[in-house]
Amino acid sequence: MFRLLMIIIAIFFIHSSWPFFEKQLEHTDLSKGISEVSTWKDSLEVKTTIQNIYSEIQTSLQQLGLLLDEFKQNDKPLESKNESKVQLTTPEQQEYSISNIELGDNRDDIIENLGVPIRSTINEYGTNWDTYHDHYHNFFMVMYGEDHKVAGLYTNQDLIASKNGIKLGTPKDTVRNLLGKPLTTIQKGLILYKLSDKEDYDVFLLDNDYITFFYDKHQGNTVTAVQLISKEMEDKKIDIYTKPSSQLKEGFEFQLFDLTNAARIQHQLPALTWDEHVQVTARKHSTDMAVNNYFNHTNLKGQSPFDRMKQDDIVFHLAGENLAYGQFSSIFAHEGLMNSLGHRENILRQGYKYLGVGVAFNNESQPYYTENFYAK
C-alpha cells in the first residue's frame, strides 16, 4: 500500500509541475513547438533551461519506473516467493537421480525424509506413482517394487542429477554422444515391439535400468523430462499396453492433470484447479472415441468441444481441448502434447483456470485422453 501511495505521489508531482514547465517554455519562446527547438541551439542560457527541465522530467519518470517495477516484484504470487530449490548432489550408486533419490532406495527412508505423498495413483506397471511437490514446484513421481525399493522415477523439472552431466536443458545431440544409439525395440514376453523413431524421446538400457529422456523441440531439442524404470519392473509388464481398469483410468486422469500443472509452474504460470464437472465432459468424449474408433475434436454428431461443454451446462468465456491417443501412459501423452504447438499453447495458456481430464480404453487397451480447459 505504501509503494502504491508513492506511485500516486510521483504521478501527482509530474502533473502539478507541468504548468511550471510550460511557463519556462514560454519564457524562452519555445512554445512554438518541439520541432523548433533546434533553431535555438546557439543560446547557452536557453539550452541550460531546457536541460534542467528535461533532467527533472527524466528523474521523475525514472523514479516512477523504479517504483512500478518494485510494486510488480512484490505483487508476485506467494508460491513463487516461497519456492525453495532442491540442492542436487551427484548420485552415489546409480548413474542418475531425481530430487536426490535413486533407483533402489528404500521406501521407508523416503517417507521419513519427505513424508507421505500428495497423491498416489495406480499406473501402467500395476503399482502406484506417488507424487511429491510444493504447489507443483519441485515436482516428481516415485514408484516402488514389491521389495519396497524405488523402481521408478519421473520429473519434468530441474531435479535431474547425473554422473555424466546430463540434466534438464541438455541438448539431444549431447545425450546421444554420451550414451550412444537409443533403443529401437523393446521386448515384452515373446513379442518385440518397435519404438517409433519419430518421437521426441530416447530410451536407453543402462545398468539394468531403462532411462527415457524426453526432449522439447520448441526449446532446441533439449532434455525437458526424464523417466527412470528398473529393468525388473519393466520386464514384469508383459504387454506394451496395460489391461484397463477403472482404477487405471482414474490414475491416468490425475497423472495427466498433475503433469500439466507441473509444466505450467515450470513456465511461470499458475496451476489449474481440478474440475469434476468438465471431467465428465472429457471422459464422455474419450469413451465415445474409444467405442466408435475415431479420433477428432468434433464428434460423430458434429459437436465441437464447446458444444459438448454447453450441453453439459458448463459456463465459460474461454475454453480449449487437447486430445491424445495410443501413448503408453500419461507421461508419454503429456510429453507428446507439449511438442505439438496447438496443444502446448493450451497447456501454457495464461487465462485458463480449470481443467478436467477424461480417459477411456478401446478393445486393444489403447488409451484415449481428453483434456478440457476453461475459465468462467
Side-chain angles (χ1 to χ4, degrees), residues 144-155:
Y144 306 97
E146 294 177 355
D147 56 0
H148 302 293
K149 292 187 176 181
V150 176
L153 287 160
Y154 167 88
T155 188

Side-chain angles (χ1 to χ4, degrees), residues 244-263:
S245 67
S246 58
Q247 292 83 6
L248 183 61
K249 180 188 297 184
E250 185 177 89
F252 276 1
E253 289 169 346
F254 280 114
Q255 287 155 26
L256 189 53
F257 172 78
D258 287 338
L259 292 163
T260 299
N261 272 338

Side-chain angles (χ1 to χ4, degrees), residues 182-188 192-199 201-205 210-212 234 240 328 332:
L183 296 179
T184 57
T185 60
I186 187 168
Q187 187 166 352
K188 293 293 179 184
L192 197 64
Y193 290 92
K194 188 179 187 309
L195 298 174
S196 174
D197 58 0
K198 296 181 180 179
E199 300 293 348
Y201 61 83
D202 285 336
V203 183
F204 300 90
L205 181 58
Y210 284 97
I211 317 297
T212 303
E234 188 65 54
I240 199 72
F328 308 139
F332 283 86

Side-chain angles (χ1 to χ4, degrees), residues 270-334:
L272 302 174
T273 299
W274 176 262
D275 187 274
E276 292 184 356
H277 195 179
V278 82
Q279 184 223 3
V280 173
T281 306
R283 188 181 277 189
K284 285 193 297 186
H285 188 56
S286 287
T287 302
D288 187 36
M289 290 189 294
V291 170
N292 293 294
N293 192 31
Y294 75 95
F295 184 66
N296 202 303
H297 291 284
T298 302
N299 67 15
L300 300 181
K301 296 179 181 179
Q303 294 174 314
S304 71
F306 315 112
D307 295 329
R308 297 193 302 273
M309 292 173 69
K310 289 177 182 177
Q311 187 177 47
D312 289 339
D313 299 321
I314 296 170
V315 178
F316 60 89
H317 75 265
L318 181 67
E321 180 176 86
N322 280 353
L323 300 180
Y325 156 67
Q327 288 82 1
F328 308 139
S329 68
S330 289
I331 289 175
F332 283 86
H334 169 73

